[in-house]
Amino acid sequence: MTPAQVTAAPLVPGHAKSWVVLAIYLLATAAASITGSFASNPDTSSWYQALNQPPFQPPSWAFGVVWPILYLLMAYAGWRADTAAPQANKSGLRLRYSAQLLLNAAWTIAFFALQSIIGGLIVILALLVSIIIWMLAARQYDRLAAWLFAPYVAWVTFATLLNGSYVLLN
């Protein structure tokens, strides 16, 4: 598909089926978020508190502010790209979206629940790659959808640096 053929999704769903697709993206993204929240509680985890933390570690409340915004942007971006993609390309786009969601939840499980900072680093590197892959695929159908993932890729890049710092410091 050439750049001139890129179409844009509407800003909001226009019909019932489109609302259902948006709801599915919101629910799937919320499921990843909830899975992650069950796997971690850094404020009360004695293991996490005992780790040597990098000097640029944000306060724990920052994660509670940033992640809900990122999850909403992710779901909206997923819906936009899905809406703009031709029917024949939807399954591949959905598979890529699902892969990054699974890795998103898997990082929290690896890092916090399994208390593996090296395992977390491996997962977050795969997550970062999967986010970029989804962005490149989505860009073919809706550029705004791809750009809506930019804060997510920035935050995960920062989180990758944090995770790498934990590996080096511990």
Side-chain angles (χ1 to χ4, degrees), residues 29 32 66-67 69-75 77 96-105 107 124 126-128 130-132 134-135 145-160:
T29 305
V66 171
W67 275 112
I69 295 166
L70 293 177
Y71 283 128
L72 286 173
L73 287 173
M74 289 162 56
R96 288 174 181 91
Y97 188 88
S98 298
Q100 64 82 23
L101 275 185
L102 288 171
L103 287 165
N104 182 300
W107 177 83
I124 204 165
L127 171 60
L128 193 54
S130 72
I131 294 167
I132 293 167
W134 184 88
M135 288 175 73
W147 280 110
L148 287 169
F149 256 52
Y152 179 34
V153 80
W155 185 257
V156 172
T157 299
F158 176 69
T160 302

Side-chain angles (χ1 to χ4, degrees), residues 53-94:
Q53 296 189 2
F56 57 94
Q57 171 73 33
S60 60
W61 62 262
F63 296 92
V65 172
V66 171
W67 275 112
I69 295 166
L70 293 177
Y71 283 128
L72 286 173
L73 287 173
M74 289 162 56
Y76 182 66
W79 168 78
R80 283 188 61 91
D82 191 283
T83 300
Q87 190 62 40
N89 300 92
K90 288 183 189 293
S91 62
L93 198 57
R94 290 171 180 168

